[in-house]
Amino acid sequence: AKGGKYALVIGISDYAGTSNDLSYCDDDANDWKALLQGEGYTVTALIDGNATKTAIEAAINNLVSQSVAGSEIAFCYSGHGSKGNIISSDLYYISSSWFKTKFSTAKSTKMMFCFDACQIGAMATSLNATGRVIAVASNKTVYSYDGDASMKNGVFTYYQMEGFNQLGYTYLEPDCDYAITKMKEWAKKARVRVAPSYVDSYTGYFDI
């Protein structure tokens, strides 16, 4: 409906088998769900085994159908990524080019996307369009990281949540700036390479 706020959050820690499992991606999704619901979004959540390729594609199709003129859209993903693809719980790749095609028909002029995954930078390019902010925890080659037991989030998501919930940010862009700065500080101490960033094609500040 015009004026509606709709979100899809996906978090996959429990992948098919055991060798591919992650620690806190499900927590990332639950935290985004709580935050967005508090901002008035109707949220669909796909967690762990529910986030199959079929379920993800169906949920994205539904989200695109809700993206009409006047509605607000949010999409958040935390899980494995590889070379511009997100990876479903049943280990299928869903590419940035597929996302680009699907959201090319979206009519909303206020949309946010957040990806906490490895090698996911291509999403920032593929999804970029007027009215959108796309935040990514990595570029096309480097990794993102799970936090530790004190964080209970992916590192990028942890600092995004800290910005919103602890520091009182109300706009997405300053929150992303904070998360990027803090993740880089964390990486320096951990002696790893990171490359979080965001693309902002929304006029003014994006109030979620």
Side-chain angles (χ1 to χ4, degrees):
K2 185 176 181 179
K5 301 173 75 172
Y6 305 100
L8 171 60
V9 300
I10 300 169
I12 311 171
S13 291
D14 185 12
Y15 279 84
T18 57
S19 61
N20 297 301
D21 288 352
L22 297 168
S23 296
Y24 302 117
C25 298
D26 50 344
D27 299 280
D28 291 347
N30 285 322
D31 286 346
W32 272 117
K33 179 181 178 181
L35 179 71
L36 291 168
Q37 284 180 331
E39 296 294 332
Y41 283 82
T42 299
V43 181
T44 299
L46 296 176
I47 309 294
D48 290 334
N50 290 322
T52 62
K53 177 179 181 289
T54 299
I56 291 171
E57 290 179 346
I60 288 174
N61 285 332
N62 186 60
L63 186 66
V64 170
S65 75
Q66 294 169 322
S67 180
V68 299
S71 70
E72 299 179 24
I73 297 297
F75 176 88
C76 303
Y77 171 82
S78 182
H80 278 302
S82 177
K83 298 180 180 179
N85 302 278
I86 67 168
I87 304 176
S88 65
S89 64
D90 49 349
L91 303 179
Y92 285 94
Y93 284 33
I94 305 175
S95 70
S96 58
S97 60
W98 184 89
F99 271 79
K100 179 179 181 178
T101 299
K102 287 296 176 180
F103 282 97
S104 66
T105 61
K107 298 296 189 288
S108 174
T109 56
K110 188 175 183 182
M111 304 178 69
M112 63 168 278
F113 300 85
C114 292
F115 295 88
D116 196 344
C118 297
Q119 298 180 349
I120 205 65
M123 289 290 184
T125 303
S126 293
L127 286 167
N128 190 26
T130 301
R132 301 181 185 182
V133 178
I134 307 104
V136 290
S138 62
N139 61 16
K140 295 180 181 180
T141 59
V142 304
Y143 299 118
S144 62
Y145 292 89
D146 260 330
D148 58 24
S150 67
M151 291 178 164
K152 295 184 179 179
N153 283 115
V155 174
F156 190 56
T157 303
Y158 175 80
Y159 290 118
Q160 286 182 300
M161 292 300 115
E162 188 171 76
F164 284 126
N165 296 327
Q166 304 302 321
L167 301 181
Y169 287 120
T170 57
Y171 297 111
L172 182 58
E173 295 91 342
D175 185 79
C176 287
D177 288 330
Y178 175 78
I180 288 167
T181 298
K182 297 298 289 185
M183 187 178 188
K184 289 179 177 178
E185 291 175 358
W186 173 90
K188 186 174 181 180
K189 293 179 181 178
R191 298 184 177 181
V192 296
R193 289 181 58 213
V194 296
S197 66
Y198 71 98
V199 173
D200 183 8
S201 295
Y202 182 77
T203 301
Y205 280 115
F206 194 110
D207 183 354
I208 64 169

